[in-house]
Each structure stands twice: as C-alpha cells, then as structure tokens.
Amino acid sequence: MTRFGSGVAVSRRSLLRAGLAAGAGAALAPLAACAGPVGAASPGSLTLGLNRSLVSLDNKLNQFDAALTVQRAVRQALTRIDPRMQARLVLAERFEQTAPTQWSVRLRAGARYSDGSPVTTDDVATALRMYGEVNGSFVLNLFPELPTVSKVDDREFLLETSRPVPILDLLMANILITPAAANRPEELTSGVGSGPYVVTAANGGTGEYTLQRHPGYWGQPPAVDTVRVRFVPEESSRVVAIRSGELDVIDSISPDSADQLAGLPGVAIDRVPGTRINQLFFNFRKPPGHPLADPRVREALTYAIDGRSLVDDVLAGSATQAEGVVPLALAGAVRTGTYVHDPAKCRALLDSLGVRDLRLKIIWESGEFPADASVMEAVVEMLRAVGVAAELQQFEPGGDILQWRQGRGGDWDVLGNGYPGPTGQAITSLLGMYGGTPAKEQTRDTYQGFVVPEIADALATAGAETDAGRRSELLAAAQHRIWATWPCLWAFVPNVVLARRTRVQGVALQPINSYDLESVRVEG
C-alpha cells in the first residue's frame, strides 16, 4: 500500500484500474484469454482511435500531438521532423540559411495539391500570415518571430527575420500549407492539401474522418487505401476495440492498458521516450495580493505533492518527474531542480506566509494525458493532507477549455496541461511557455498568463544567438530563472505509448507522439 499525504492509503494502480473499470465494467478482465480479433478491419484499410477529438485538419489551434499524424497526411509543410528530431525536406527541395537572418527556399517542381494546382510561394506567404492572425495560436508561440516571405518567383523565395532564428528549418515543419485562396485565420476542417490523402468525409463535431489515398499524389504513394479516424474518449473502449480488431491503432494509452494488451496475440506495443512535458500549471493571471501571485506560496504548495507515488503507483513507472522546466531529452535543456515531497514544510511555509483556508480549483480536459483523472484525484487528497481544499472541473474534449485557459471562460488556479517539444529543441518549448509579453497577453496569446519580461528577453536573446556555446549558456541561465518562479504545482515527462494490431507495419513512432501515415502498411 502507498500512502498519499498523511492518511490516504492507495494500493498500486488501484486508482487507475478503478477508472478503467468504470468505463468498461468487466470488459477488461478477460483480455489475456482472448486469442484474437472478432471484427478485424478489411484489407487495405486502417482505423485509428484517437483519445482526443480531432476538431479540424489544420493545426493553428489544435494542440495535441497525435492529431499531427492525420493533419500531415492531408496538408504538408516545407519540412518535417524525422524520428531523430532532424529537419527533412518535404514541399521544399532547398531550404538553406544564406545569412544570419535569411533562408533561401525553393519549392519542389512537382509538388501539387489534390486539385492538381501547384504549391506556390504565395501559398507559403499566406499560410504564415494566417497563422499570425489567428487568436490563441499554439504554433505562433513556438516562433521567436514569424518570418516574412520575399518572393523571387512562384517557386523560389527568401524567409527573412529581424533577428537570427537558427532553427527556422525545424520551426517551419509546423506551418501546414494550403492554397492561398482557400486559407483563413482559423482552423480548417476540410479543403485541399498536398498530402498523400484526400478527405472524403469529415465531421469536426464528432471527430470522425475518412481519408482516401490520392491517386495523383506527387510523392511516394502510400500503401494504405483508406484511413478512418474515430474519436473514442474512453480508454477502456479503445482497449476493447483494438482487442476485437475494430480499431487498428490507439494512442496515448495508460501503462495499465499497455500491460494488459502486451500479452495478447495480434497486438503490439510501441514505446519511445517523449519530448512532451505534462504539468499542473499555476494560473499566472491572479491579481496582486492573491496567494498564488506569490512565488513563495507556489513553492510551498509543491511540497504537498508526492510525485514519486504518482509516478510509481498511478502512472505505473511510465513517466519521470520533471527535473527542469522542459524535458531533458530536448537539446539545450538543463536540470534546474527537483520536486520534493515534504508536507510538513508545505504547511510551515504557508503558515509563515499567513495563508490559511486556501481553496484551489483544478481544471483539465479529458485525455490530456493517460490516467489524468486518477492523477487529479490523488492530487486533491495530497492537498487535503496539508489543509488545502481543492475542487476538480473536468472538460470534455472539444469543449470550451480554451476560453478558460485564456482567462475568458472562468477563474481557476491550476491547469492540468501538456506541452510538446515539436522541434526537439528546448528553445521552442521555452519560448512557447515562458516567452509571454504584455502585448501577447492583451490577445491572450500567453501560456496561462505567464508574463515575466526579463525572462522573455533572456529567451529571445538566447534564441537569436548564433554561437552554439554562448546560446547554451544563455539558455541554461534562463531556465534556472524560470524554475525560481515555481510555475508548476508538479510536472512529469511521460513515455510515448501506442498500441497497434500486428497487421499494421511501418509505424515509426516519434518522440513527438506522431508518425507518418504514408509509411504505414497493412498486411493481411
């Protein structure tokens, strides 16, 4: 038995198992005895079961990693990130840095959209402008600044910035290109793309899509004819569906589910270390005088959380406690500190600061990370053990949590959230989370209101430094300054876990929890 706080005993994985059982009843119990699928998909087709609703086939606002697998099968970027987190050319046949603030790009001669029209320089320029205009853009915050396009001709152009952006080739993998006339400063639910698949059915409300292989695709044709995308919010339902063969691939599964599926004939489990950090992030929009506006209070609360028990007993060892403000697997990340469980110190610090009868509201969206509800319930008990009351508010996928995150929907204190490492570089995630400015906050384009000008300046300086050694020094110093603000109640880095039928081959799972659909094949 494991004790949370001072008096809550929880057996190993009991919280997680209870959550799964609530969704599936006894359906999970006979998994090990089932020999194979009872409703296998047809040859030449692939059915994906996503844990979060794919509300669009555009990524301007859609922030969860697995969505990119589908989005990039329809719309492509100039570059892509390979499994080694290196930039590879896609729509660009040349992408070269020709000056500290200038990159020369040439589009592939044969790159065309599914309607037969060519990909042009104007499409790239419009795409960048649309990403810049959308309110609350996740992608926008990854860039120190969006580059401008200086057109040479329909296929050749320069990307220019006011300050050096040494990883611009990696960043541009996040800008999906659409014909200029069809692009809008919003998420696009359908439309024309240059990818290997075309959309034949789309329902952003239900998160269900059908993709068909594009016979005139300009690149290497994909091996699978039809890809169906389903939103299956209950993990227990996804587990049962992959066991029966109704689903071919499910993502973001909990360790408990992975352990049960691992022993089944016809099912394989893929795991890779992740570049995503999951956080219980404080609300930095609190007014002066509010307890959470004081970093000493935020620090004190971290001592209430028994992170080791959460990792070992709820997450079943499938994650590690964060030791920095971004995952250490990212290039340029450094250790800045550790989360320490010390309830007595928590209470003593709060008492010394005159903080009593503190109440916290914790919000999150279902599916933000595996075993999310179990983690949150355990955190409530840990806080109760130090005299802090907490209430939970869980949002359904596709709901209005974005409005709450932006401070427009309602007040909250702690947000359960995940932030990816989409380029493999620490600077990208650091800028996205901690590079907020007063100007960005006016449009609510900051990360939970985190606006510390000196930190934003330090990150901007580090990101523009062309000397690699000096850039590392500046980046390390900035990360230590961020840690000192105590932005999170707790944080952890999960492994990426995916389950698939063994008939599905060629899934090169990446640390960013995505893979290229065009490389996947179905056997039998």
Side-chain angles (χ1 to χ4, degrees), residues 200-261:
T200 57
N203 188 330
T206 62
E208 296 195 0
Y209 299 82
T210 301
L211 311 182
Q212 199 72 29
R213 177 167 57 182
H214 176 215
Y217 177 51
W218 61 270
Q220 180 69 32
V224 177
D225 292 331
T226 304
V227 177
R228 296 181 179 88
V229 181
R230 292 176 52 193
F231 167 46
V232 187
E234 292 292 337
E235 180 173 13
S236 55
S237 299
R238 295 198 307 278
V239 168
V240 170
I242 196 169
R243 172 186 58 115
S244 69
E246 294 177 24
L247 294 176
D248 291 305
V249 182
I250 60 175
D251 69 286
S252 304
I253 60 174
S254 67
D256 202 59
S257 294
D259 286 350
Q260 294 183 61
L261 288 170

Side-chain angles (χ1 to χ4, degrees), residues 36-49 223-228 241-250 264-270 498-507 517 519-524:
V38 297
S42 61
S45 69
L46 180 72
T47 303
L48 312 181
V224 177
D225 292 331
T226 304
V227 177
R228 296 181 179 88
I242 196 169
R243 172 186 58 115
S244 69
E246 294 177 24
L247 294 176
D248 291 305
V249 182
I250 60 175
L264 286 180
V267 177
I269 303 295
D270 296 336
L498 173 150
R500 58 180 169 84
R501 301 296 308 179
T502 52
R503 67 194 287 267
V504 179
Q505 297 292 314
V507 176
L517 268 179
S519 301
V520 176
R521 63 188 186 276
V522 176
E523 300 176 350

Side-chain angles (χ1 to χ4, degrees), residues 169-475:
D169 54 343
L170 293 166
L171 288 167
M172 287 301 293
N174 295 280
I175 302 294
L176 303 183
I177 311 300
T178 295
N183 214 337
R184 300 286 184 274
E186 60 194 41
E187 286 192 302
L188 306 173
T189 57
S190 59
V192 175
S194 63
Y197 287 93
V198 295
V199 184
T200 57
N203 188 330
T206 62
E208 296 195 0
Y209 299 82
T210 301
L211 311 182
Q212 199 72 29
R213 177 167 57 182
H214 176 215
Y217 177 51
W218 61 270
Q220 180 69 32
V224 177
D225 292 331
T226 304
V227 177
R228 296 181 179 88
V229 181
R230 292 176 52 193
F231 167 46
V232 187
E234 292 292 337
E235 180 173 13
S236 55
S237 299
R238 295 198 307 278
V239 168
V240 170
I242 196 169
R243 172 186 58 115
S244 69
E246 294 177 24
L247 294 176
D248 291 305
V249 182
I250 60 175
D251 69 286
S252 304
I253 60 174
S254 67
D256 202 59
S257 294
D259 286 350
Q260 294 183 61
L261 288 170
L264 286 180
V267 177
I269 303 295
D270 296 336
R271 294 182 175 90
V272 296
T275 58
R276 182 180 186 87
I277 189 167
N278 289 333
Q279 309 154 313
L280 302 181
F281 205 92
F282 287 113
N283 187 349
F284 275 77
R285 294 191 176 98
K286 296 297 184 181
H290 189 283
L292 292 187
D294 187 340
R296 297 173 299 176
V297 174
R298 298 195 295 267
E299 177 186 358
L301 290 171
T302 67
Y303 297 118
I305 307 304
D306 186 354
R308 184 175 297 277
S309 291
L310 289 173
V311 167
D312 291 345
D313 299 305
V314 180
L315 297 169
S318 69
T320 57
Q321 289 200 81
E323 296 182 283
V325 291
V326 291
L328 296 180
L330 296 176
V334 297
R335 286 181 172 82
T336 54
T338 57
Y339 289 97
V340 177
H341 182 222
D342 191 338
K345 184 174 183 178
C346 170
R347 192 63 257 171
L349 285 173
L350 292 177
D351 289 342
S352 71
L353 296 169
V355 178
R356 291 184 173 62
D357 301 321
L358 183 62
R359 300 186 62 86
L360 300 178
K361 184 169 188 174
I362 304 174
I363 68 172
W364 84 101
E365 183 179 80
S366 298
E368 187 65 44
F369 46 83
D372 49 8
S374 298
V375 169
M376 297 306 188
E377 291 164 5
V379 166
V380 168
E381 297 303 317
M382 294 170 185
L383 290 169
R384 181 180 292 126
V386 296
V388 176
E391 63 171 307
L392 301 177
Q393 182 167 346
Q394 185 174 3
F395 290 79
E396 291 304 312
D400 59 354
I401 193 170
L402 177 61
Q403 295 296 314
W404 285 66
R405 284 164 45 97
Q406 295 179 332
R408 306 176 192 271
D411 192 25
W412 54 273
D413 300 297
V414 176
L415 169 71
N417 196 57
Y419 201 92
T423 65
Q425 301 287 320
I427 184 60
T428 307
S429 297
L430 290 167
L431 282 169
M433 290 186 285
Y434 304 108
T437 63
K440 288 183 178 180
E441 178 58 16
Q442 287 185 1
T443 57
R444 292 298 195 262
D445 284 323
T446 65
Y447 193 68
Q448 329 319 334
F450 190 97
V451 179
V452 182
E454 57 269 26
I455 288 177
D457 290 344
L459 290 173
T461 300
E465 177 57 59
T466 56
D467 180 81
R470 177 58 178 158
R471 183 167 63 249
S472 296
E473 293 176 3
L474 293 171
L475 207 55

